Structures are given as structure tokens and as C-alpha cells.
Amino acid sequence: MSTARERILEATAELLATKAAPAISTRAICDRAGVGMPEIYRQFGDKQGLLTAVADVGFERFLANKRRNPLTDDPVADLRAAWDSHVAFALRNPHLYRLMFTPAAEPGPRAIEDAQALLLAAVERCRDAGRLRTTPELAGRSILSANVGVCLMALSFPGAFGGLDISRSVRDAVIGKVTGDEREDARVGTATVLAQALVGTLTGAAPVDPAAVDDLARALRPPTPEA
């Protein structure tokens, strides 16, 4: 048989499926859990203590879901898959996700440290494979910050930021930056060099070898299809 604490946590989580945390009253929680009002204060101190406990339960679900992600021989691809599963969780559980990642009081959910540790382990796999440009700690924090930011923007402004194409764009930019796995057209870099060379010529800041400019221009041309 479940305890009063378990029933209160479950009732709050069920109400969060359809309502944001500020809109849920302690009376509604108690009625759903079948307990008296004093029980919330006895178990959690106050409503905020209850919401923090629910956020920790949410993190347990979130991390269990992340641990089910299969690992492959490509740790960078696994990072991208982990990003996508994070976004999917947020979209399935919008009110719970906000509670987890936008705590209203200190201390926040303790399980955020477990989420960081899980991501750090994933980033360390990239380092061990020789595919990391920065420290694992900085890479992990950068990825998590961007991932959470994308999710919160998608939940707050779904019309403008809810498209998965935005998530994929930010994902590839951030993960590509920390792993050196950017997906760029090589001609873009050549175009930048050419533009800098031409500016130098026009301003007199730096003379340019005409042969070098010809080489750069040829590199920008799309390849000629074979007959």
C-alpha cells in the first residue's frame, strides 16, 4: 500500500500533466491524494518543498529515459541522439519540465547533478575517441545549457520556436563546435578567405597575389559533373 507521501507526489505529478505548477492548489492535491491539508506540510514543509520533491521524481524519469538510449560506436552521434531524447521528454511533459529546469526557490532539484554527470560521461566518450576540442566539463555544461534553452523556448513560444528544425540546427552547431564535427560546406571557409583578401586589396591594407585569388575563386566553383 502506498504511503501518504507517495500518494501526494503521484497526485501532484498527475495534475501537472494538464496544469502548470502555479495553477495547482494544495486543496486539489490533497483531494486527489485522499489526505488532509496538514499532511503536505508534515511531509514536505510547504508547497514549494512538495514541488521540489516532484521535480526530483521528474528527474528520475528523465534520467531513466536517457539511460535507455542505446550506445553505438559513434559517441558524437550518441550525443545528438541524447539531445533529441531530451527535447522529446520536454515536449511530452511541458509543465513537469518547466518545474524541473526553472526552479522557483533554493535549493533546486538535487537530481540536476545526476543529469550533469550522465552527460559528462557521454562527453568523456567523445574525448576518449579523440573527438573533443575542449574540456569535458565545459562541453557538457555548454550542451546542457543549449539543450534546456531550446526546450524552454519551444514550450514558451511554440509558434516561433517549436519546430524541430530549430532544435536540430542548434544541436548540430553546439555539438559540432565542441567536438570539431561541424557540418559545413568547405567552400564557405574559402569564400571568407577570398572576401578578406579582396577587402585588403581595396583598402590597401594588404596586397594580394593574383594567382592566390585565382586559386580561391576556382575553389568556390561547384565541381563540374562528370560526363
Side-chain angles (χ1 to χ4, degrees), residues 55-67 86 100-101 108-124 140 144:
D56 275 320
V57 172
F59 268 109
E60 290 175 7
R61 287 174 48 197
F62 174 77
L63 294 173
N65 183 61
K66 301 282 273 184
R67 292 186 180 105
H86 183 134
M100 290 163 56
F101 286 98
R110 296 183 300 275
I112 186 65
E113 297 175 1
D114 297 328
Q116 289 177 295
L118 190 62
L119 180 54
L120 180 62
V123 173
E124 286 174 340
L144 185 58

Side-chain angles (χ1 to χ4, degrees), residues 74-81 84 131 133 165 167-189:
D74 187 341
V76 177
D78 291 346
L79 272 182
R80 292 193 180 93
D84 292 342
R131 299 177 67 185
R133 281 179 166 176
D165 56 332
S167 174
R168 287 190 290 265
S169 178
V170 178
R171 176 199 68 190
D172 291 346
V174 175
I175 293 178
K177 186 68 174 179
V178 300
T179 63
D181 199 38
E182 291 100 339
R183 299 173 175 182
E184 296 179 339
D185 186 336
R187 292 180 296 157
V188 173

Side-chain angles (χ1 to χ4, degrees), residues 199-221:
V199 168
T201 299
L202 292 172
T203 61
V208 177
D209 181 353
V213 173
D214 288 341
D215 290 341
L216 288 167
R218 279 194 296 273
L220 285 171
R221 297 190 190 106

